[in-house]
Amino acid sequence: MIHLLYTFLGVTELPDRAKKLILKLIMSTTILNFFWFLSSAFFTLFVIDSVGIEHLGFLIAISYILQAVFDYPSGTVGDWIGQRWILFTGFFLEAIAYITLFLADSFFILLIAYMIRAIAASQQSGALNTWFDNNYKLLATDTDPQRKIYKFFIGRWTTISNIVPGVAAAFGGILATTYFRQLVFLIQAIGLASLAFVFLIIIKDFWGINRPKRSIKNYFTLLGEGIRFAFFSKFMFLFLLGLSLSNTVIIIWVDLMLFPVYFGYTGSDGGVGLFRLVVLLLGTLSIFLASKFAINMELSWIPRLTVLDTVIFYWGVAVITTLFPPTQNTFIPPAFLTFITFYTIIYFFHGLKLILNQRFLLDSIPDHNRNSIYSLIPTLILLISSPVAIIGGILIKNLGISVTAFLLGSTGIIPVFLFYVALRSIPKDI
């Protein structure tokens, strides 16, 4: 079975230690995705039902600001001491947050839960990818110098990681419909707490990964190096800014709009979960195909893919939600079929973009600053998203989902330009 998995991932030519690294990543993220997305079908709906969409926007904004404050310093700690303890702390705090959600009965308790989740997310962000990328570069330098295996693997891994959230969302939605929503939060808390201890055991660097001596001076040196590289390297600054803007659009869509649309077209938590599963299964097929195309694609495709992945997608959502307003909260077959067909097509281009973005970051970022930069990316995203989340909640309530989606798509034109200029500014030595 493991050999078949390696064949599917296209990594059979890698040395055994590199394959062992990949197996650890696949197994841990599969378990993580199951527990993480168990309540995804109804989480946003739970908060909206409790306090309303405008208060949801406020909760999201507060959590974004808090995470942004802790994100970059926590990422630098990861570069300083390694990713084991960062991941343990992050997921243990996440478990506490879900216990809080299990007990939530007021806006104040929800605020506490969102704040704990924000601190937890600041610990997690970029840590697992940093651990994998640094060790992969060490172990696969000779066998994958052009990173073709890496690009193919990222695409195939994404297909696996897409299936599990869909299954988890469907299972969690059915549990919530059969019993009650807070029960799923309790199951998540137990699962994530257990996973925190698993990460403490398995997340270890292979011999050859060098880290600076653990001193306060070296910590602040790494802190400054990451900021200088991100903000004073023209190509990296523009690329990170484009990445931040395009991901801000995604965050607003997922956190404020996606699940109300699903609920509007299905009418139940179980229906939302099954809708999510179908979309992700078809999206998995799209990314499966994308992984083959991405092998020989150049980074210059990123701006063009952003047009399709961001601008065209949200304009398309605006059209679909205008034709089929998601306000009936019942199963609407034409809306269901139209939405998943459009989503599947765009997901192909989204998959290509994800693979090429990660390919860019792999060799552009110095290894000793990788966790810092991977944490700086969500920091920038969150700083931009915080006011946008509040504005988004107000826009959705007053103008509706269709107009808000059109505005999101229009905003996506900016990162297209930023990516184009950034890629033309890459130094020749990189």
Side-chain angles (χ1 to χ4, degrees):
M1 289 296 293
I2 292 176
H3 180 73
L4 289 174
L5 176 64
Y6 288 153
T7 302
F8 172 76
L9 297 172
V11 299
T12 53
E13 296 179 9
L14 293 176
D16 289 340
R17 291 199 305 166
K19 288 188 283 191
K20 181 180 178 182
L21 172 73
I22 287 169
L23 188 61
K24 281 185 178 182
L25 180 71
I26 294 292
M27 291 177 66
S28 60
T29 52
T30 298
I31 299 170
L32 167 60
N33 283 340
F34 178 79
F35 285 110
W36 187 272
F37 289 98
L38 205 56
S39 65
S40 62
F42 60 84
F43 188 96
T44 300
L45 302 171
F46 170 77
V47 180
I48 292 174
D49 289 346
S50 300
V51 296
I53 195 165
E54 286 183 288
H55 283 93
L56 170 62
F58 179 77
L59 287 169
I60 291 172
I62 293 296
S63 67
Y64 286 174
I65 293 170
L66 191 59
Q67 184 181 341
V69 169
F70 287 99
D71 223 325
Y72 181 68
S74 298
T76 306
V77 171
D79 285 327
W80 186 42
I81 66 172
Q83 282 71 51
R84 292 175 64 203
W85 288 101
I86 291 291
L87 286 167
F88 171 78
T89 304
F91 286 105
F92 198 78
L93 284 173
E94 195 76 48
I96 294 174
Y98 277 102
I99 287 290
T100 309
L101 284 166
F102 174 72
L103 301 171
D105 59 358
S106 67
F107 175 80
F108 179 71
I109 301 299
L110 283 172
L111 179 61
I112 292 174
Y114 266 79
M115 292 174 71
I116 297 173
R117 289 194 80 201
I119 297 172
S122 72
Q123 303 294 305
Q124 303 155 16
S125 67
L128 198 57
N129 282 348
T130 297
W131 168 75
F132 175 76
D133 282 356
N134 283 350
N135 283 276
Y136 182 87
K137 285 182 69 177
L138 174 72
L139 300 173
T141 298
D142 296 329
T143 50
D144 189 23
Q146 300 300 317
R147 311 304 187 209
K148 288 189 175 184
I149 296 176
Y150 179 85
K151 287 191 289 186
F152 187 82
F153 160 71
I154 290 294
R156 288 297 173 85
W157 173 38
T158 305
T159 64
I160 296 174
S161 61
N162 256 1
I163 295 173
V164 178
V167 173
F171 181 65
I174 293 170
L175 274 180
T177 301
T178 306
Y179 299 101
F180 55 99
R181 289 169 170 175
Q182 286 89 336
L183 173 65
V184 181
F185 293 149
L186 181 61
I187 295 171
Q188 283 183 284
I190 296 170
L192 291 169
S194 303
L195 192 62
F197 288 97
V198 171
F199 279 130
L200 197 60
I201 296 169
I202 70 169
I203 301 299
K204 297 178 181 178
D205 290 327
F206 285 88
W207 184 86
I209 296 292
N210 296 315
R211 298 192 183 276
K213 184 180 178 181
R214 295 181 185 179
S215 67
I216 299 299
K217 178 183 177 182
N218 283 339
Y219 171 76
F220 282 102
T221 298
L222 286 170
L223 200 70
E225 283 180 358
I227 291 174
R228 282 195 299 273
F229 178 73
F231 288 97
F232 294 97
S233 300
K234 179 182 176 182
F235 80 101
M236 184 55 67
F237 173 72
L238 293 173
F239 191 88
L240 291 182
L241 187 58
L243 201 61
S244 300
L245 287 171
S246 60
N247 276 280
T248 294
V249 174
I250 294 173
I251 283 180
I252 301 305
W253 163 247
V254 172
D255 284 355
L256 288 171
M257 301 166 65
L258 176 66
F259 292 102
V261 170
Y262 283 177
F263 194 85
Y265 291 158
T266 59
S268 69
D269 291 347
V272 171
L274 292 172
F275 197 168
R276 181 71 169 156
L277 176 60
V278 171
V279 167
L280 287 177
L281 285 176
L282 292 173
T284 296
L285 177 61
S286 294
I287 293 184
F288 178 86
L289 297 172
S291 63
K292 293 185 176 182
F293 281 87
I295 295 175
N296 298 309
M297 290 184 71
E298 300 294 332
L299 296 178
S300 58
W301 273 90
I302 292 176
R304 283 170 276 183
L305 292 171
T306 304
V307 173
L308 293 164
D309 176 51
T310 305
V311 182
I312 301 301
F313 173 72
Y314 292 106
W315 285 353
V317 168
V319 172
I320 293 171
T321 52
T322 299
L323 295 174
F324 307 103
T327 55
Q328 298 182 40
N329 295 339
T330 187
F331 182 58
I332 307 173
F336 181 89
L337 293 173
T338 303
F339 190 89
I340 61 174
T341 301
F342 179 67
Y343 210 106
T344 302
I345 294 170
I346 295 297
Y347 220 86
F348 173 78
F349 302 106
H350 176 70
L352 288 174
K353 183 188 167 190
L354 284 178
I355 295 167
L356 293 181
N357 281 349
Q358 194 58 38
R359 167 68 184 92
F360 171 87
L361 295 172
L362 177 67
D363 284 319
S364 298
I365 299 174
D367 290 347
H368 62 283
N369 294 126
R370 188 174 300 281
N371 205 158
S372 305
I373 302 300
Y374 281 2
S375 291
L376 184 61
I377 293 170
T379 299
L380 294 172
I381 294 170
L382 295 166
L383 287 173
I384 297 170
S385 300
S386 299
V388 175
I390 296 174
I391 295 169
I394 296 170
L395 287 175
I396 293 169
K397 182 176 181 180
N398 293 285
L399 300 179
I401 286 176
S402 301
V403 174
T404 306
F406 178 79
L407 293 174
L408 289 177
S410 302
T411 304
I413 296 172
I414 301 172
V416 173
F417 172 75
L418 292 171
F419 283 137
Y420 176 78
V421 177
L423 293 171
R424 290 180 65 87
S425 305
I426 299 176
K428 291 182 179 180
D429 59 332
I430 294 177

